[in-house]
Amino acid sequence: MAHDAEVVVVGAGLSGLAAARELVARGHDVRVLEARERVGGRTLSQPFGKDVIDLGGQWVGPDQRRTLRLIEALGLETFPQRHEGKKVLMLGGERRVYRGTIPRVDLASLLVMQGTLTRLERLRQEVSLDAPWESARAEGWDAETLASWMGRNVPARGARALLEIATRAIFACEPSELSFLHFLFYLNSGGGLMRLAEVEGGAQERRIAGGAQQLAKGMAAALGERVVLGAPVSSIRQDAAGVRVESGARRWRARRVIVALPPALAGRIAYAPALPAARDQLTQRVPMGAAIKCVAAYDRPFWRERGFSGEAVSDAGPVRLVFDDTSHDGRQAALVGFFLGHSALRYSGQPAERRRVFLERLAAMFGPEARRPALYVDQDWPAERHSRGCYVGVFGPGTWTGHGAALRKPVGAVHWAGTETAREWCGYFEGALEAGERAASEVARALGE
Amino acid sequence: MAHDAEVVVVGAGLSGLAAARELVARGHDVRVLEARERVGGRTLSQPFGKDVIDLGGQWVGPDQRRTLRLIEALGLETFPQRHEGKKVLMLGGERRVYRGTIPRVDLASLLVMQGTLTRLERLRQEVSLDAPWESARAEGWDAETLASWMGRNVPARGARALLEIATRAIFACEPSELSFLHFLFYLNSGGGLMRLAEVEGGAQERRIAGGAQQLAKGMAAALGERVVLGAPVSSIRQDAAGVRVESGARRWRARRVIVALPPALAGRIAYAPALPAARDQLTQRVPMGAAIKCVAAYDRPFWRERGFSGEAVSDAGPVRLVFDDTSHDGRQAALVGFFLGHSALRYSGQPAERRRVFLERLAAMFGPEARRPALYVDQDWPAERHSRGCYVGVFGPGTWTGHGAALRKPVGAVHWAGTETAREWCGYFEGALEAGERAASEVARALGE
């Protein structure tokens, strides 16, 4: 069965849909092929008691303009992530309660932390968003992990612990897995560590009433039958006549293709001719982070009653990060938490065990009521066949400097989107939209607009 | 078209063939499916003037017992890698000539080098070959790259340069890409850095007359029609009835499957049910190194006439490593050299340019005669569709400690071979054979032997 389209987009996550929307607006004939039976990629919203909750990406920051415009255009509403009240820090097996942004640790750690944040703020601005590998100090920064950089440059155990917590929360991977150059690039892409880490004024400032998957659903609805579900792409063949995209026995012919998948998944498609070495090896070198997201709903927000915001972070125990996840109308009280990095892999494929551990950790953080939720659900992203991890691809040492130039460079008629290819807000909804629009512009130019 | 076999082996490199040979010897019904139209994987020998030369793996060390037994069983002969004479070191743009194992550098560097080798010899013995992640200091060693470890622990620029040269030569990747734990594991797996680096008594001691691909061809000949060429496996499906392996429209049913591919390629097969997260994420985290191998033949071994062994190493310029590659009978004088790591990617897909640069570098090392070879051939492994890099998969920081346990652990009826899964001589022919035999034993046990 053969179909024709001017442009085929692979992947109906935010990036692929944004690319398709842009091309359609410019008058092009587009098909979007999606492996799953749903759109939205790493966003996924589902009914949960009296609410719809997000099992995937859920937060929007104040300067994520494309995302906010899309929210407005779709007639959606945002509401603030609740953060008022005391926060919990589990550090070295000990429970501490604090207010504000930086948790209570020893004075030396606070001073070192302040110095480190100032220094990181300076360093990240040296990293080019267009070509991180061209930054003056790129080689050295890409030759080590964030963990080894911290070992040398953050001379206080408490400060290191806080940075490790922030890293796991932001990247869903271990500090040992991250190139220090990638860490700085990502910070710069999002406007700084504190903006990535914070609720108020930061990347976790607001949620979308009714769930973030509505962003994808809204774009997909406008694209109508151009979006084909249940069509995992197995091969992309280019020749003088154009491109042939195959999904099982189905086949689409197109002039251009946009692959809107993370590099690790893009690398699993069979290409003919084979991808150039630089591009193929890049896809081997950007593994996905790992996060399992768990939500527990309660009859009432018992933590608020005791003055807690519901926010907690931990440097030990497998539950690394918790937020209040109560519905926008307040009718459904809930907490959301994450297993991140190596902890996520440890509990992947073990639903009963992770539920038990999750509730146990919540109880340690907020009190014994946490053990008896009215509802519970979780999402094991690393085990998801069409995601194989989240939130985002992770650049290890040597990857940007050796393979970065292949990240956005088209291969013949095949273009690359996905939030991993974004300049601004790489890894976020905003980056997904930017990357999709950038790929659409490339394609529009190539089609001779 | 459906076929049946007790065991299907995916990949007819040394590891897959060794697994099949072992299972057949135990009386099992086996099929080996190979993507290419040839056997041998990362070995490849071809006629070249008056000789057959190796475009892939070519060296055998004295204590690689399985390999030596196989050579003997197949009636093949080895001959020594020539290393007599002066060697060339290109360091910081300068050409130095030396004899022996360690090049002439400043005294401080020599002393540091000696101290570092002694220290590495001690450290590598702390790494378990069965479970590197269980070594006492695994976490710290896996949290940094070899590059950052050297930055802190090798306080002499010349010594660092020599270690970087050795790393690129041994791993075909950059020191920035390697987990220090993996570096130590690999050293231990092969019996120490000097054994991996050296010719006499080391991993490069002998060559196989007529080419190393004969190892695979010999095993494949004995397996006969059990080996199916041109059958790239696209999916592996398991259910209660067994396993179904698909290659295009062809299908094999089996009780057990051995995937004898490097992790990066094993990860590109579609599995149903999907692989567990720990295993899938491992396949995302072991990218292939990168090497382009170039051979130039000459009417006579002009370098020998001037007292050179033909051995050269370089810390700059894209040609990192050169050896004498003259035929066993001496009739065909040749030099073999490598573009490694980032240099290999730079010159991948650029055949004219890399030929020019290769010959230019040889001339700088050994004299102007090098510019006019009688014959020239090269092999761009990272561009090879069914290899996508070489010599071997590279473990970056965080991979062994986070994902190591999934390396050899079967997933249902699917077992894992390939030299990357070896305990001894991981990355070498010997490791490929060990891994194949280990996977065959697992399968034999599972089949109730």
Side-chain angles (χ1 to χ4, degrees), chain A residues 139 142-148 152 172-173 175-178 237 264-265 267-272 274-278 280-281 283-290 342 344-345 348 380 382-385 387-390 394 396-399 401-403, chain B residues 139 142-148 152 172-173 175-178 237 264-265 267-272 274-278 280-281 283-290 342 344-345 348 380 382-385 387-390 394 396-399 401-403:
Chain A
E139 285 290 338
D142 206 30
E144 70 174 323
T145 66
L146 173 61
S148 64
R152 279 203 329 284
C173 78
S176 63
E177 294 179 286
L178 268 180
R237 291 161 196 282
L265 298 180
R268 293 178 178 192
I269 293 171
Y271 299 84
L275 291 179
D280 191 284
Q281 287 231 336
T283 71
Q284 298 177 34
R285 282 172 162 77
V286 188
M288 302 301 287
H342 289 177
L345 292 178
S348 177
D380 182 354
E384 262 265 57
R385 182 170 170 202
S387 299
R388 304 307 341 202
C390 79
V394 170
T399 302
T401 48
H403 310 77
Chain B
E139 285 289 338
D142 206 30
E144 70 175 324
T145 66
L146 174 60
S148 63
R152 279 204 327 283
C173 77
S176 62
E177 295 180 287
L178 268 180
R237 289 160 198 283
L265 297 180
R268 294 179 178 191
I269 293 171
Y271 299 84
L275 291 178
D280 191 285
Q281 287 231 336
T283 71
Q284 298 177 36
R285 283 171 161 76
V286 188
M288 302 301 288
H342 289 177
L345 291 179
S348 177
D380 182 354
E384 263 265 59
R385 180 167 171 205
S387 298
R388 303 308 340 205
C390 79
V394 170
T399 302
T401 48
H403 309 77

Side-chain angles (χ1 to χ4, degrees), chain A residues 296-298 302-303 335 358-373:
Chain A
Y298 299 90
F302 61 87
W303 56 95
L335 292 169
F358 178 67
L359 298 176
E360 205 47 62
R361 298 307 297 165
L362 287 191
M365 291 162 172
F366 299 113
E369 298 95 323
R371 282 201 194 89
R372 293 174 302 277

